[in-house]
């Protein structure tokens, strides 16, 4: 019980102590709050006292910042003024001594104008901006003069030797070649160029472009171009470039030997001179396009880099006079009077245009070059049409040829060899002709048709010429010789594949028909003299007559004698005449002689064997049996060798 009372007292004491402690804490808290409130009041008073000072300090700081900005702006303006005066000094001095610094001065002026134009205190009509713009105009004017000076200084005509040296080795002309040393009358047929073209495969050869302007100058000219274009001086630039470079190109071609000839000029030239000039022209076209124009395009491309349309226009205007001067000669040839010999030079000219076609399409690709591309294409079409018309003229000329050239021995007529050589030569141009007909008629098979028509025209003419012979045998020998020559030539040329085996077989039969007709007309009568018809009586007797004029053959000795004499006379006449005739082809001659011998010799042997005994014992036996079969065979070997009469005297 006593312990419980003690415990309660202890708790009461602790509780009283805690209460006293809390009361003291509250008193302290109240004191702190009172002190803090006093601080807040004093701080507010202090802040109110310091506010005017803070405002003044902020204003001073802002003023300093504005002063700094103003000073910096002033420094920039002064710097631009300084740069302006430096640029002005360079521009006044001119670009001649140091073009690079001159161009930098112009760029600096443009930066100054932009700078002052963006400043509120400066306007575009302010004096400094006006002066800068005027200075740029003056600078661009001087740049234009410098552009002209540089371009003119480094633009010189290209010497022929340099151009020849830029050609592939296989295409470089010899000392006597056309146009060398500026000789426009150098002898060199256009066919030589055709052979050269195919021999060297022009598509595969490499050309070394001549240097028209030193490479170190081109970037500088490009910089000048950029400044002038930026200043809006495109037309001045175009005129300066055109006037300088076009003249240089024309002079380069003139040094090479290019000349401008009209249709009338062409008509007055002798064929050999004209052919040489055409050969030159073909060479000039190759040099102009593959070397001169290609090199000019490269120069133009670098000077006007970044300004494609302007570059295309400059290139078109620079090359126009030169290319039209070249094309005018081609047009004059295409429009001149047609003749068979011109066909091959027309094809040569057409061929070179086909060869340079890809270069023309690449170099003159821009819209500004449209007229040039069309002019080149137009000339190609014109040459193709003229060539086709010349084919027609040649066909008609062959059919109507009335040359008085006499072929008394029945050999191959000059017209035949001329036409065959003409046709064979055409096949050197086979691919070109396919292109030509393809371009005109859309049908490359026209070459076969044209060739057949020409050969048919030749045969028609030969038929007419054969009728001038009085001897029918010589008529057929003449036709046999000529048609055989045609067939043999076709078989040995590319025409064989084009005309086909059927054509060859058909014409070989015609040759055989004329050979048979020759034998019939030449040998029918002499063979008749060896026939038994009229020699043996109808009773077929076998006995001897009282007078002994008939032998065991039952034939009359007198008639047999007459037959032998007739045969001898006719054979000698045939030998004398036909040994003057000619079969120029050895194989044909031998086969023809063999064909005659196969008919004549068996008939003669049979006749001599049967009727020879009747004249063996008579006076002058050799007057009748004058030849052995071997003699006849030997003499037949002398036929068709074209001997004159004195050679035939025995």
């Amino acid at each position: 019980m006593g312990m419980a009372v003690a415990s309660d007292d202890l708790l009461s004491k602790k509780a009283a102590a805690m209460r006293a402690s809390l009361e003291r804490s509250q008193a302290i808290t109240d004191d702190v709050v009172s002190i803090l409130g006093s601080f807040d009041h004093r701080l507010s008073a202090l802040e109110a006292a310091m506010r005017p000072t803070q405002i003044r300090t902020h204003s001073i700081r802002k003023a300093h910042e504005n002063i700094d900005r103003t000073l910096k702006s002033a420094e920039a303006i002064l710097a631009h003024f300084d740069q302006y005066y430096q640029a002005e000094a360079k521009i006044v001095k001119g670009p001649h001594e140091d073009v690079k610094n001159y161009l930098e001065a112009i760029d600096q002026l443009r930066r100054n104008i932009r700078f002052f134009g963006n400043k509120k205190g400066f306007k575009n009509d302010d004096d400094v901006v006006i002066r800068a713009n005027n200075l740029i105009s003056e600078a661009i004017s001087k740049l234009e003069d410098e552009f002209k000076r540089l371009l003119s200084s480094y633009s010189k005509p290209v010497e022929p030797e340099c151009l020849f040296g830029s050609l592939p080795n296989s295409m470089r002309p010899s000392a006597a070649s056309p146009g060398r040393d500026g000789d426009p009358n150098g002898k060199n047929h256009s066919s030589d160029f055709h052979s050269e073209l195919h021999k060297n495969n022009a598509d595969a050869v490499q050309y070394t472009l001549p240097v028209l302007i030193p490479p170190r100058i081109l970037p500088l000219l490009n910089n000048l171009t950029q400044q002038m274009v930026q200043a809006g001086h495109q037309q001045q630039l175009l005129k300066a470039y055109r006037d300088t470079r076009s003249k240089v190109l024309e002079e380069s071609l003139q040094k090479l030997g290019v000349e401008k000839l009209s249709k009338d000029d062409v008509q007055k030239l002798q064929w050999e001179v004209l052919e040489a000039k055409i050969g030159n022209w073909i060479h000039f076209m190759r040099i102009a396009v593959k070397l001169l124009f290609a090199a000019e395009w490269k120069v133009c491309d670098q000077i006007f880099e970044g300004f494609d349309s302007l570059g295309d226009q400059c290139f078109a205007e620079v090359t126009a006079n030169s290319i039209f001067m070249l094309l005018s000669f081609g047009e004059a040839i295409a429009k001149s009077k047609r003749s068979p010999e011109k066909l091959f030079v027309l094809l040569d000219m057409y061929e070179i245009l086909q060869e340079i076609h890809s270069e023309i399409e690449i170099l003159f690709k821009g819209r500004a070059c449209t007229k040039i591309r069309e002019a080149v294409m137009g000339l190609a079409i014109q040459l193709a049409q003229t060539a086709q018309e010349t084919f027609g003229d040649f066909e008609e000329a062959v059919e109507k040829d009335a040359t008085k050239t006499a072929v008394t021995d029945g050999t191959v007529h000059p017209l035949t060899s001329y036409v065959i050589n003409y046709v064979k030569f055409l096949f050197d141009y086979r691919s070109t002709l396919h292109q030509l007909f393809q371009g005109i008629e859309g049908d490359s098979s026209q070459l076969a048709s044209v060739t057949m028509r020409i050969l048919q025209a030749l045969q028609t003419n030969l038929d007419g010429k054969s009728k001038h012979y009085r001897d029918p045998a010589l008529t057929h020998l003449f036709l046999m010789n000529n048609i055989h020559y045609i067939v043999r030539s076709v078989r040995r040329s590319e025409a064989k594949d084009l005309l086909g085996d059927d054509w060859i077989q058909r014409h070989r039969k015609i040759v055989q028909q004329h050979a048979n007709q020759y034998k019939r007309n030449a040998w029918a009568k002499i063979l008749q003299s060896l026939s038994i018809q009229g020699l043996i009586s109808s009773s077929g007797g076998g006995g001897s007559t009282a007078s002994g004029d008939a032998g065991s053959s039952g034939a009359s000795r007198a008639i047999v004698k007459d037959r032998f004499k007739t045969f001898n006379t006719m054979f000698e006449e045939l030998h004398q005449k036909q040994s003057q005739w000619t079969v120029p082809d050895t194989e044909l001659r031998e086969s023809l002689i063999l064909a005659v011998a196969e008919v004549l010799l068996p008939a003669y042997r049979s006749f001599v064997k049967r009727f020879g005994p009747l004249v063996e014992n008579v006076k002058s036996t050799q007057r009748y049996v004058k030849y052995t079969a071997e003699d006849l065979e030997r003499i037949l070997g002398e036929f068709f060798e074209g001997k004159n009469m004195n050679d035939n005297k025995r």
Side-chain angles (χ1 to χ4, degrees):
M1 186 73 176
M3 288 181 66
V5 171
S7 178
D8 288 339
D9 288 341
L10 182 60
L11 287 173
S12 296
K13 287 178 183 179
K14 286 183 179 179
M18 287 179 66
R19 188 178 303 108
S21 179
L22 286 173
E23 287 174 353
R24 285 195 301 271
S25 294
Q26 181 64 45
I28 291 169
T29 299
D30 291 341
D31 290 341
V32 170
V33 169
S34 176
I35 292 168
L36 288 176
S38 175
F39 281 157
D40 182 60
H41 176 72
R42 283 197 288 268
L43 284 173
S44 296
L46 181 60
E47 183 180 355
M50 291 182 65
R51 188 171 294 116
T53 302
Q54 289 176 338
I55 292 173
R56 285 195 300 271
T57 302
H58 179 72
S59 298
I60 292 170
R61 187 172 61 251
K62 286 292 184 182
H64 278 294
E65 290 176 355
N66 289 336
I67 290 170
D68 287 340
R69 281 197 296 269
T70 302
L71 289 174
K72 289 179 181 178
S73 179
E75 287 175 0
I77 292 171
L78 290 173
H80 276 83
F81 270 112
D82 186 51
Q83 292 165 358
Y84 167 81
Y85 289 121
Q86 291 176 7
E88 182 181 36
K90 292 178 182 178
I91 287 169
V92 170
K93 190 175 181 181
H96 183 61
E97 293 183 2
D98 191 345
V99 177
K100 183 177 180 181
N101 282 332
Y102 192 85
L103 294 174
E104 290 177 357
I106 294 175
D107 286 335
Q108 183 58 56
L109 279 178
R110 290 202 173 98
R111 288 195 293 271
N112 288 342
I113 291 172
R114 287 195 297 272
F115 174 80
F116 289 122
N118 291 329
K119 293 298 177 183
K120 294 182 179 180
F122 296 91
K123 298 181 181 177
N124 288 336
D125 57 353
D126 282 346
D127 182 61
V128 66
V129 176
I130 293 172
R131 286 177 61 191
N133 279 317
N134 290 339
L135 200 55
I136 285 180
S137 297
E138 180 184 344
I140 295 300
S141 179
K142 289 182 179 181
L143 277 186
E144 185 179 333
D145 293 337
E146 182 65 10
F147 183 87
K148 292 178 183 177
R149 188 191 69 80
L150 279 173
L151 196 63
S152 178
S153 297
Y154 292 99
S155 293
K156 304 296 179 186
V158 185
E159 295 297 326
E161 291 299 326
C162 176
L163 291 171
F164 295 143
S166 297
L167 288 170
N169 290 333
S170 57
M171 288 188 174
R172 291 178 187 176
S174 62
S177 292
R180 193 153 183 113
D181 297 327
D183 177 16
N185 296 317
K187 295 288 183 182
N188 195 324
H189 299 301
S190 60
S191 58
D192 296 336
F193 291 95
H194 173 77
S195 300
E196 174 190 90
L197 172 65
H198 287 272
K199 179 177 67 178
N200 295 306
N201 188 5
D203 291 335
V205 297
Q206 297 294 320
Y207 294 81
T208 304
L209 297 185
V211 176
L212 303 186
I213 294 178
R216 63 185 176 82
I217 302 299
L218 295 174
L220 190 56
L221 290 171
N222 176 252
N223 289 336
L224 294 174
T225 296
Q226 291 180 18
Q227 292 291 346
M228 292 175 69
V229 170
Q230 193 172 349
H233 285 225
Q234 289 93 329
Q235 291 306 310
Q236 294 90 325
L237 188 63
L238 172 62
K239 184 178 185 304
Y241 191 85
R242 179 192 62 213
D243 292 349
T244 302
R245 293 301 306 163
S246 61
K247 183 180 179 182
V248 169
L249 281 184
E250 290 174 50
E251 289 178 357
S252 299
L253 291 176
Q254 288 166 2
K255 279 177 172 283
L256 195 61
V258 175
E259 53 186 338
K260 190 172 183 179
L261 295 177
S262 66
K263 177 184 173 183
D264 293 337
D265 295 330
V266 166
Q267 290 295 131
K268 294 174 185 176
L269 295 174
Q270 294 182 351
W271 169 242
E272 287 187 358
V273 175
L274 180 60
E275 187 179 21
K277 287 186 180 294
I278 292 171
N280 290 352
W281 180 86
I282 292 168
H283 208 51
F284 297 156
M285 284 297 290
R286 184 179 291 126
I287 289 174
V289 174
K290 292 180 178 287
L291 295 179
L292 268 180
F293 296 158
E296 186 66 35
W297 183 86
K298 185 177 179 182
V299 166
C300 207
D301 184 58
Q302 292 183 58
I303 291 177
F304 296 98
E305 184 180 0
F307 308 101
D308 292 345
S309 60
L310 180 61
D312 288 341
Q313 189 175 358
C314 283
F315 181 70
E317 296 197 16
V318 162
T319 54
N321 286 345
S322 294
I323 200 161
F324 285 125
M325 180 169 64
L326 285 163
L327 295 180
S328 66
F329 177 80
E331 291 169 358
I333 297 296
K335 293 177 181 177
S336 64
K337 185 178 179 181
R338 298 191 299 272
S339 60
E341 65 271 16
K342 281 186 182 177
L343 176 59
F344 299 108
V345 296
L346 289 168
L347 293 176
D348 286 330
M349 294 171 76
Y350 178 82
E351 207 167 61
I352 191 63
L353 293 182
Q354 293 300 308
E355 180 190 333
I356 64 174
H357 175 74
S358 59
E359 282 89 352
I360 292 291
E361 290 296 312
I362 292 170
L363 297 177
F364 298 92
K365 63 181 182 300
R367 183 181 297 178
C369 300
T370 301
K371 287 185 178 180
I372 293 176
R373 290 197 307 275
E374 290 175 348
V376 176
M377 187 182 299
L379 177 58
I381 293 172
Q382 200 170 19
L383 288 169
Q385 290 174 339
T386 304
Q388 188 183 41
E389 291 166 1
T390 304
F391 269 121
D393 294 344
F394 181 66
E395 180 185 338
E396 184 178 353
V398 169
E399 187 169 354
K400 295 182 178 179
D401 176 77
T403 53
K404 302 297 182 182
T405 304
V407 183
T408 57
D409 59 356
T411 189
V412 176
H413 196 278
L415 176 66
T416 303
S417 57
Y418 172 73
V419 172
I420 290 301
N421 287 336
Y422 196 91
V423 169
K424 286 165 67 177
F425 199 27
L426 279 177
F427 279 85
D428 286 343
Y429 295 85
R430 186 170 181 176
S431 61
T432 301
L433 288 167
H434 281 311
Q435 289 179 351
L436 185 148
F437 286 119
Q438 183 74 32
I440 294 177
E441 301 180 3
D443 182 7
S444 61
S445 66
Q446 279 293 309
L447 179 58
S449 176
V450 168
T451 304
M452 287 182 182
R453 291 202 307 267
I454 290 174
L455 294 179
Q456 184 56 52
L458 173 60
Q459 291 178 65
T460 300
N461 187 281
L462 292 172
D463 285 339
K465 283 180 167 51
S466 71
K467 292 179 172 58
H468 295 156
Y469 295 109
R470 295 181 179 179
D471 190 328
L474 186 55
T475 293
H476 290 289
L477 188 79
F478 170 78
L479 290 172
M480 178 198 72
N481 276 330
N482 280 269
I483 297 175
H484 177 267
Y485 181 83
I486 295 170
V487 173
R488 186 191 64 179
S489 299
V490 168
R491 287 178 61 197
R492 295 178 179 179
S493 72
E494 293 184 38
K496 176 183 178 182
D497 297 332
L498 197 67
L499 300 180
D501 289 335
D502 289 345
W503 186 94
I504 292 172
Q505 293 304 322
R506 188 166 65 252
H507 285 78
R508 290 180 73 175
K509 287 180 181 177
I510 294 174
V511 173
Q512 188 59 49
Q513 288 169 4
H514 286 300
N516 293 337
Q517 288 293 332
Y518 153 77
K519 286 191 297 181
R520 188 174 295 113
N521 283 278
W523 298 94
K525 288 184 179 180
I526 195 171
L527 288 171
Q528 187 64 36
S529 71
L530 298 176
S531 99
I532 63 173
Q533 187 177 356
L535 288 177
I536 301 176
S537 63
S538 59
S539 62
S544 301
T545 64
S547 61
D549 287 340
S552 60
S553 63
S556 164
R557 180 178 286 113
I559 296 176
V560 169
K561 286 181 180 180
D562 187 60
R563 287 289 186 90
F564 273 114
K565 286 166 61 178
T566 299
F567 174 84
N568 293 336
T569 300
M570 292 179 69
F571 184 76
E572 287 167 1
E573 288 176 351
L574 284 170
H575 174 246
Q576 183 179 16
K577 180 167 58 174
Q578 295 196 32
S579 62
Q580 297 175 52
W581 294 359
T582 302
V583 178
D585 183 82
T586 303
E587 185 179 344
L588 180 62
R589 181 172 65 249
E590 291 176 353
S591 66
L592 189 62
I593 290 172
L594 180 62
V596 172
E598 286 176 344
V599 176
L600 179 65
L601 298 183
Y604 185 74
R605 287 192 181 99
S606 177
F607 190 85
V608 170
K609 182 178 180 181
R610 184 169 184 177
F611 301 109
L614 289 177
V615 294
E616 280 181 355
N617 298 320
V618 299
K619 224 175 183 181
S620 304
T621 299
Q622 288 188 345
R623 289 176 56 194
Y624 306 109
V625 186
K626 198 170 183 179
Y627 303 101
T628 65
E630 289 72 20
D631 290 333
L632 294 181
E633 186 174 11
R634 175 181 56 78
I635 295 170
L636 280 175
E638 298 175 356
F639 276 50
F640 315 127
E641 292 186 347
K643 296 179 179 179
N644 59 41
M645 293 184 67
N646 292 329
D647 294 334
N648 293 325
K649 288 183 178 179
R650 296 174 63 84

